[in-house]
Amino acid sequence: MIDPTAIISPRAEIDSDVTIGPYSIIRENVVIGAGTHIGPHVTIDPFVTIGPDCQIFQFASIGAAPQAIKFEGEETYVKIGRNTVIREFVTINRGTAFGGGITEVGEENFLMAYCHIAHDCKTGSQVILANNATLAGHIILEDAVTVGGLVAIHQFVRVGKYAYIGGKSAVVKDIPPYVIAAGDRARLHGLNTVGLKRRGVSQSAVSALKKAYRIVFRIGLTLNEAIERVRAEVEQIPEVVNFTDFLRSSTRGITR
């Protein structure tokens, strides 16, 4: 059902099972999948694709031009995965030609009120952003990352899967997978053991990750020395390999 006060471009592709509330604006080159609900006073700008079964609450702004000085009006995109919830006043900006051209929000994300996702960011599946979480440009959040309220993340930062960032943190360097980080500036506070348990990670995997974490962050080795020691002393299960691969591939530097 589309409310008669909504303004819908004839060049938008909207599934017949989509609901659009009063006074929302859907512009050209927008694609919206079946079962998605758009609340009142939502603005969806051009070049946005929204998957099925999403919920977008009132006053959200999706696909506006990026807040980037070098942006020159080029055709860039936003893609939002299925079953994602976008609460009140969330803003998601399009990508830039110099940053890859697309901002991607993964499947089953939960974006609470007033969050901002800037140009060229990418989130994995089942990511949670609590109220007022702010992502600068070019940030990558891997699967099942949780970002607390009032968190600010610096551009080009990468956050590994299952990581948890506590509220009111300022994040300026990469955060490895499976850990808890908090503070201004953010520091590590051990493994996210509660989150790992909830995600069904086995106790043996958690134990191996604890050992790898201690080697990397507790005994004063350089990063390369620590990675080699983890490879020699810790069983190379997928979680441990993912942990060390993330550390090795960081270009921005690792939160300690």
Side-chain angles (χ1 to χ4, degrees), residues 53-176:
D53 300 316
C54 294
Q55 299 180 61
I56 302 178
F57 284 68
Q58 55 267 30
F59 301 105
S61 171
I62 314 296
Q67 299 176 113
I69 292 173
K70 292 192 291 183
F71 182 72
E72 296 181 345
E74 59 266 25
E75 182 177 316
T76 55
Y77 306 94
V78 168
K79 181 179 180 181
I80 296 172
R82 66 171 182 83
N83 203 28
T84 284
V85 176
I86 298 173
R87 293 302 305 249
E88 299 85 347
F89 295 98
V90 168
T91 54
I92 302 173
N93 291 166
R94 287 161 48 200
T96 62
F98 56 86
I102 186 168
T103 303
E104 294 187 68
V105 176
E107 297 181 350
E108 299 180 351
N109 280 207
F110 186 19
L111 313 181
M112 299 185 197
Y114 293 94
C115 289
H116 175 66
I117 298 180
H119 57 88
D120 306 295
C121 289
K122 292 178 171 57
T123 72
S125 63
Q126 299 181 343
V127 168
I128 298 173
L129 303 185
N131 299 69
N132 289 99
T134 300
L135 308 188
H138 314 280
I139 288 168
I140 296 174
L141 305 183
E142 296 183 356
D143 292 346
V145 167
T146 298
V147 180
L150 299 167
V151 169
I153 304 181
H154 195 282
Q155 58 262 38
F156 294 102
V157 162
R158 183 165 57 119
V159 181
K161 66 187 298 185
Y162 298 178
Y164 180 96
I165 304 174
K168 294 181 66 177
S169 296
V171 179
V172 298
K173 293 186 177 181
D174 292 349
I175 293 178

